[in-house]
Each structure stands twice: as C-alpha cells, then as structure tokens.
Amino acid sequence: MKNFLAMITLAASVSLLAACSENTDSADTSAMSLEQAVNNNPARSADNLSRDRHRHPIETLTFFEVEPDMTVVEIWPGGGWYTEILAPYLKEQGKLYAAHFPQSETREYYVNSRQAFNERVAKDPAFSKIVVTEFAPLENSEIAPAGSADRVLTFRNLHNWYMNAGEDGVKAAFATFYKALKPGGILGVVDHRLPESRPNTHMDSSGYMKQSLAVRAAEAAGFVFVKASDINANPDDNADHPRGVWTLPPTLGLGEQDRERYQGIGESDRFTLKFKKPESSS
C-alpha cells in the first residue's frame, strides 16, 4: 500500500513539474507589451529613446490599433526607428514585413541605408524574424502577399513620394498599400503637416504635406478615412523654415545657426491619420 501511495505521489509530482515547465515555456514565448517594447527594450538605441517625447510611439501605435499577433508592414523603415519597437513586439506572435528601398535604387543614401538595415536583420536577434521586401511608389512592388496584412504603417514618407512624383506618386503608393491589406485592415500615416492655407507649391521641396492631399490620395485608392489625431502635433512649428522641415531637429540643417531657437521649437508638427480598407473589399 505504501509503495502504491508513493507511486501516486511521484506521478503527481511529475505532472506538476510538467505543468510548471509548460507555463514557463509559454511565458518565454509570450509577446512583449507595447510599453515594454518602447520603454524596456534593449534593441532600442539611446538616441532613438531620446526622441520618444517628439514621436510618441506608444500613443501612435495604440491609435493605429497595432496588436502583437498581427501581420504588419512598415514602409521605408530607413535606419529602423520604429522597427526597433515593432520587431520585438511582433516577433513571437505576429509578423513584420519591412518594405525598404528598392534594390534597383542607385543613389548612395538609399543603397547604404538598405545595406545597413539588411546587416542588422542578419546580426541582431531582435530583427531576426523580419521579412525584408521593397517598395517604390511607381513600381509594381509586393510589400507583402496580397490581402495578408493587418496593418500598413508609413512614418514621414509621403513628402518624399510627392517631391519625386507629385500627387500621382502618393496615390500610387496608397494603391500598393491597399492591395497588401486584408479587408478591414488599417493604414496608418504620419507626416509633416503643411497648413492648408499655404500654396501647394510649398510641398515641392519643404518636406511638409497637406493633410487634405493625403486624405484625397488614400480615398482615391479605395480607403475610408477613419480618424485624425493630434498625437504628433506641435503648435510651435509654423512649417516655414529656411531649409524646410530639415531645419528642425533631429537634422538641424543650418548647423549652429539659430540652433537654440530650432531646438526650442522641437521636431515638426505632424498629422497622424488612420484609414481602413472596407470589409467588403476583395
């Protein structure tokens, strides 16, 4: 009888240990919270952390309703400011496509930026599950398989497409994003805001964009405008500077000239827009 009881006790102990092991394994593979991905994330550089007060990543990604089990496409991640947050956040349960500059691009900045990003994907464990694709607004880019993405996010890129190809470039970009999204998927857009009262010609080289143009281009691609947020607004920025938006931090394009003044203004005034692909879309 004693041996029988001992066997039952041993079996119960083994079961308990197995359960604890399963729970531990589950915890090890659980997703980071968004707050952890922003505030307690070793992948983030000190320089990037210092800009949170201007870029408001927690508020912005919450507004775009990004969850850790989603498939997300980040457009033109550049050096990876938002990638440092998104990659660890999505690593365990979701998927991140980084639609970087196209391989056909020959300009030095674009070539070097893409190469540095690819090297980090190869070496940094936080970036190891990223799928690198490419994007150019007027090309037939596959940023992700059609209808696969829950979210497409673009941060401060529209002005580049506009300066290179006008409103057609922005519309073409949105059409590509529409194709990649699932029905009901969300497109999140952040860019430097040009006051609506200014002439359209001020968008040609300043780096600032009119919110109305962004909305019009998205709706032309089939998106429904959901909401705008002032999360990234800066009322101290009048969008009228000698070297456009690059006069302000972090670029400080005038060097030491009026540096204190521009640092006092801070980073640019930005619109933050949320669009949805209709549920009935195919």
Side-chain angles (χ1 to χ4, degrees):
M1 183 66 176
K2 288 182 180 179
N3 288 341
F4 179 68
L5 290 173
M7 290 176 65
I8 292 176
T9 302
L10 178 60
S13 299
V14 171
S15 297
L16 181 60
L17 287 170
C20 290
S21 177
E22 285 180 10
N23 289 336
T24 301
D25 291 344
S26 176
D28 288 343
T29 59
S30 64
M32 280 186 174
S33 69
L34 183 55
E35 288 74 17
Q36 287 174 319
V38 171
N39 297 320
N40 189 24
N41 172 5
R44 301 198 69 201
S45 70
D47 285 346
N48 287 348
L49 276 163
S50 72
R51 295 180 63 199
D52 284 359
R53 62 193 179 99
H54 298 295
R55 301 195 69 171
H56 313 103
I58 292 176
E59 297 86 348
T60 301
L61 294 175
T62 298
F63 178 69
F64 294 148
E65 303 175 54
V66 179
E67 299 292 342
D69 60 350
M70 288 181 171
T71 295
V72 177
V73 184
E74 183 186 1
I75 304 297
W76 279 12
W81 196 95
Y82 258 103
T83 318
E84 287 184 353
I85 298 168
L86 290 168
Y89 183 56
L90 299 167
K91 184 177 180 181
E92 298 302 336
Q93 297 179 11
K95 190 167 191 174
L96 178 60
Y97 289 92
H100 217 290
F101 303 129
Q103 295 186 49
S104 59
E105 181 60 68
T106 58
R107 285 172 288 184
E108 184 177 8
Y109 168 78
Y110 294 90
V111 172
N112 291 343
S113 178
R114 182 182 171 107
Q115 180 179 341
F117 189 86
N118 282 337
E119 288 174 358
R120 186 165 184 186
V121 170
K123 296 177 182 178
D124 189 335
F127 279 42
S128 63
K129 291 189 178 180
I130 293 175
V131 179
V132 180
T133 57
E134 61 181 59
F135 170 72
L138 295 176
E139 296 180 12
N140 187 24
S141 305
E142 187 177 77
I143 58 175
S148 68
D150 297 288
R151 301 289 182 267
V152 173
L153 308 177
T154 176
F155 303 100
R156 305 183 316 156
N157 290 314
L158 271 63
H159 62 277
N160 293 301
W161 308 330
Y162 186 88
M163 289 190 297
N164 283 312
E167 191 167 347
D168 288 345
V170 181
K171 287 180 178 178
F174 283 137
T176 298
F177 307 159
Y178 189 91
K179 182 179 179 181
L181 280 165
K182 299 173 181 176
I186 286 174
L187 167 64
V189 179
V190 178
D191 216 324
H192 314 292
R193 176 172 23 222
L194 182 72
E196 295 293 331
S197 59
R198 301 278 180 83
N200 286 348
T201 53
H202 287 197
M203 293 187 285
D204 292 345
S205 59
S206 70
Y208 288 93
M209 292 286 300
K210 288 187 177 181
Q211 178 174 314
S212 60
L213 186 148
V215 172
R216 184 167 65 247
E219 290 178 338
F223 285 103
V224 175
F225 176 56
V226 178
K227 192 176 182 181
S229 172
D230 283 334
I231 294 165
N232 295 299
N234 178 2
D236 294 331
D237 176 22
N238 66 7
D240 187 11
H241 311 295
R243 293 192 180 176
V245 73
W246 301 282
T247 310
L248 299 177
T251 306
L252 292 168
L254 294 178
E256 293 303 315
Q257 181 182 334
D258 293 325
R259 184 184 186 91
E260 186 174 340
R261 172 190 167 197
Y262 293 119
Q263 284 182 322
I265 293 171
E267 295 196 17
S268 66
D269 178 41
R270 297 165 190 159
F271 55 72
T272 304
L273 309 176
K274 179 161 58 177
F275 302 93
K276 180 173 281 190
K277 181 174 180 176
E279 295 280 358
S280 59
S281 297
S282 58

